[in-house]
């Protein structure tokens, strides 16, 4: 018996049966995933329901929100993504339709999910970790990284690639997990050190796995499915699941605006069936299925979702101003810090420690980051592509503060390195 059939009431079965027989409809899927994982799922669905014409729209979350709200946008029947903040925004704005029946995830996965079982179905999950290129590591004599601290160490300067939380929902989850597990001060210090090691910040999360596979960088944080797909093609790709990595369920929802709610429900039914779960777990989609609890059970970290949602806009803006916009200065400051020989001199050591502190301190304290007015200013900022003059002024101030601190760090490094 399939996972879905155990949850499927007689009334829903009666609704869905004519769909499989009629075979005269279409299904439009909106997804933030890349083409490779989605294609395997769509191919399987079409094979089972050859009379249903399927169209897939690939969009990042911000364009997806715009598409779902524009009057002239094409009708969407199913939404598929692993970004909880995306689905939380859809729910807040009333864009999700109630599912014909609640699809309750397994107890062992429930702590990691949205908790919107009446509006969102969970069909699988991923973990996060570090993907690396063995050939690249051997060429530059680098160790195989297995932790954030290793990626942020001086030996990896110029050899790391990652995406930005403002561009990638999965990267946002990973950055938020660092702040929740290490605390605000230590977490941002780790992120800024990691930022100084970046060779590039990609526009999409799957750009990291593509770049590493092509040898453009040695390592970077990704979700496991991207690494597994790369490993299926290239033997030189490795992956380390980090201890207490963030668990990222794969969500499906039906928009209120759909013209084919029955086909959306049928697609969910298919992915929760034994055949659909088989495709979810094979190369292509490469997600961990709902019959495989070990990966979720072995992590002790569970995201505080209220905190995640509350500061989502602020975190993304702060990352942009502190790391993305300051990448050249950040690299320059830490290259200088890493290159100073203090010769055991107490004064040189003091100057270097001051420089490290300046180069690893964000322009916003944890107390300031809790300010309700400031949080409200950035709430939803990255949900839609629209400006906010007041927020722009605050971000400009953050950028200036960060730039001034990095310049002062460089001055101290020069002073510490004088003969």
């Amino acid at each position: 018996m399939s996972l879905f059939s155990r949850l499927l009431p007689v009334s829903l079965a009666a609704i869905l049966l004519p769909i499989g027989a009629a075979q005269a409809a279409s299904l439009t899927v909106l997804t933030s995933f890349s083409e490779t994982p989605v294609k395997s799922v769509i191919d399987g669905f079409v094979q089972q329901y050859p009379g249903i014409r399927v169209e897939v729209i690939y969009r990042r979350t911000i364009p997806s929100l715009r598409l779902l709200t524009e009057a002239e946008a094409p009708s969407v029947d199913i939404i598929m993504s692993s970004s909880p903040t995306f689905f939380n925004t859809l729910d807040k704005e009333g864009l999700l339709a109630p599912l014909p029946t609640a699809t309750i995830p397994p107890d062992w996965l429930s702590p990691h999910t949205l908790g919107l079982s009446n509006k969102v179905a969970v069909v699988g999950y991923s973990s996060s970790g570090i993907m690396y290129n063995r050939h690249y590591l051997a060429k530059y004599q680098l160790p195989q990284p297995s932790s954030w601290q290793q990626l942020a160490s001086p030996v990896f300067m110029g050899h790391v690639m990652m995406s930005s939380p403002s561009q990638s929902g999965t990267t946002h989850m990973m950055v938020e997990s660092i702040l929740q597990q290490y605390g605000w001060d230590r977490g941002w210090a780790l992120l800024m050190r990691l930022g100084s090691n970046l060779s590039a910040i990609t526009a999409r999360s799957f750009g990291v796995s593509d770049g590493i596979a092509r040898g453009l960088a040695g390592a970077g944080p990704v979700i496991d499915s991207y690494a597994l797909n790369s490993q299926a093609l290239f033997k030189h790709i490795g992956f380390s699941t980090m201890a207490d990595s963030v668990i990222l369920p794969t969500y499906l929802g039906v928009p209120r605006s759909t013209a084919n709610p029955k086909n959306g429900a049928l697609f969910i039914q298919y992915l929760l069936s034994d055949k659909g779960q088989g495709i979810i777990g094979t190369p292509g989609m490469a997600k961990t299925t709902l019959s495989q609890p070990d990966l979720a059970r072995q992590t002790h970290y569970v995201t505080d979702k209220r905190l995640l949602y509350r500061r989502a806009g602020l975190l993304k803006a702060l990352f942009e101003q502190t790391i993305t916009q300051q990448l050249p200065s950040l690299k320059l400051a830490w290259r200088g810090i890493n290159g100073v020989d203090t010769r055991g001199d107490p004064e040189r050591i003091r100057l270097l420690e001051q420089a490290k502190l300046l180069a690893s301190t964000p322009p916003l304290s944890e107390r300031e980051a809790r300010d309700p007015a400031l949080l409200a200013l950035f709430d939803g900022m990255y949900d839609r592509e629209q400006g906010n003059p007041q927020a722009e002024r605050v971000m400009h101030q953050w950028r200036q503060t960060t730039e001034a601190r990095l310049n002062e760090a460089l001055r101290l490094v020069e002073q510490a390195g004088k003969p």
Side-chain angles (χ1 to χ4, degrees), residues 12-23:
L12 179 58
I15 290 173
L16 293 179
L17 283 174
I19 301 174
Q23 304 290 305

Side-chain angles (χ1 to χ4, degrees), residues 2-55:
S2 73
L3 286 164
F4 192 86
S5 60
R6 289 196 291 268
L7 299 170
L8 191 65
V10 175
S11 60
L12 179 58
I15 290 173
L16 293 179
L17 283 174
I19 301 174
Q23 304 290 305
S26 64
L27 178 76
T28 300
V29 180
L30 174 64
T31 182
S32 61
F33 292 137
S34 60
E35 185 175 352
T36 298
V38 175
K39 185 178 184 300
S40 60
V41 171
I42 299 301
D43 288 349
F45 180 78
V46 170
Q47 185 177 2
Q48 182 154 332
Y49 300 99
I52 298 180
R53 181 176 57 84
V54 179
E55 178 186 2

Side-chain angles (χ1 to χ4, degrees), residues 57 59 63-76 257:
I57 301 173
R59 294 286 190 278
S64 293
L65 281 163
R66 187 173 66 246
L67 186 145
L68 289 168
T69 53
E70 285 182 347
E72 298 180 0
S75 177
V76 171
S257 59

